[in-house]
Every structure is written in C-alpha cells, then in structure tokens.
C-alpha cells in the first residue's frame, strides 16, 4: 500500500463513478423516485466495486475476504447515497 494518496487519481475515479451513475442510473427511465435511484445506485456500486475488488483479490493482492466484502458493501452504500442525491438535485433543478 502506498504511503501517500494520489489525490488526482482519487478525484478522477469518483468523477468517473459519478458519470456512470448519471448515465446508467439517474437517466434510466425505470428510476421514478428517490428509492429507485438509491437501489439502482447500490446495484451499480455492487457491479463496479465487485469487479474491482474481486479482480484484485484474484490477481493482484491477497487480502482477507471480509475486507473485500466490506469494501464492496461500502461501495454499494456510497453509490446508492450519491445516486439518491443526484436524483434529488436533478428533480430540484427540474433537469429530468
């Protein structure tokens, strides 16, 4: 693990995740309320974080499986919350 966080990479990764949430979750015609946005965002987080964590577990880094599952759960939570916030902002600004 690095001693110093690459802030540019961290910001870029969350910008990409937010972009994915906007394209695949918020603009989805099946998302009609904040709970749909929350649940679809959590599914998106499961897919994105699941692929990342399981690939790292399989190929790169041997870690405790509990940590992998915790990271996937954290990713689901954050993607769900960000999706709900983005949906609320889009409704408030009358974008959708």
């Amino acid at each position: 693990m690095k001693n110093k966080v690459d802030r540019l990479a961290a910001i870029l990764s969350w910008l990409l995740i937010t972009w994915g949430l906007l394209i695949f979750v918020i603009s989805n015609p099946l998302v009609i309320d904040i709970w749909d946005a929350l649940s679809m965002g959590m599914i998106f987080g499961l897919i994105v974080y699941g692929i990342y964590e399981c690939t790292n577990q399989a190929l790169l880094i041997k870690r405790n499986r509990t940590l992998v599952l915790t990271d996937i759960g954290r990713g689901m939570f954050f993607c769900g919350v960000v999706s709900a916030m983005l949906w609320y902002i889009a409704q408030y600004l009358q974008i959708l």
Side-chain angles (χ1 to χ4, degrees):
M1 190 159 152
K2 292 171 124 179
N3 291 334
K4 187 176 179 186
V5 174
D6 184 346
R7 292 178 194 262
L8 179 61
I11 291 169
L12 181 60
S13 67
W14 267 100
L15 286 175
L16 289 170
I17 290 173
T18 303
W19 187 34
L21 291 172
L22 287 170
I23 292 171
F24 296 111
V25 176
I26 302 305
S27 63
N28 186 337
L30 298 176
V31 175
I32 57 173
D33 61 18
I34 198 164
W35 299 110
D36 290 338
L38 179 72
S39 61
M40 292 294 282
M42 290 181 76
I43 292 169
F44 182 83
L46 172 65
I47 294 167
V48 170
Y49 277 81
I51 291 170
Y52 175 78
E53 292 293 334
C54 291
T55 301
N56 279 341
Q57 178 72 12
L59 300 176
L60 302 175
I61 306 166
K62 280 296 182 194
R63 295 189 293 175
N64 185 330
R65 285 198 174 116
T66 304
L67 179 62
V68 170
L69 293 175
T70 302
D71 283 348
I72 292 171
R74 181 181 51 90
M76 290 174 64
F77 172 78
F78 284 126
C79 285
V81 169
V82 170
S83 291
M85 289 173 22
L86 289 171
W87 183 88
Y88 181 80
I89 290 168
Q91 294 299 313
Y92 181 77
L93 297 176
Q94 298 177 354
I95 296 171
L96 297 176

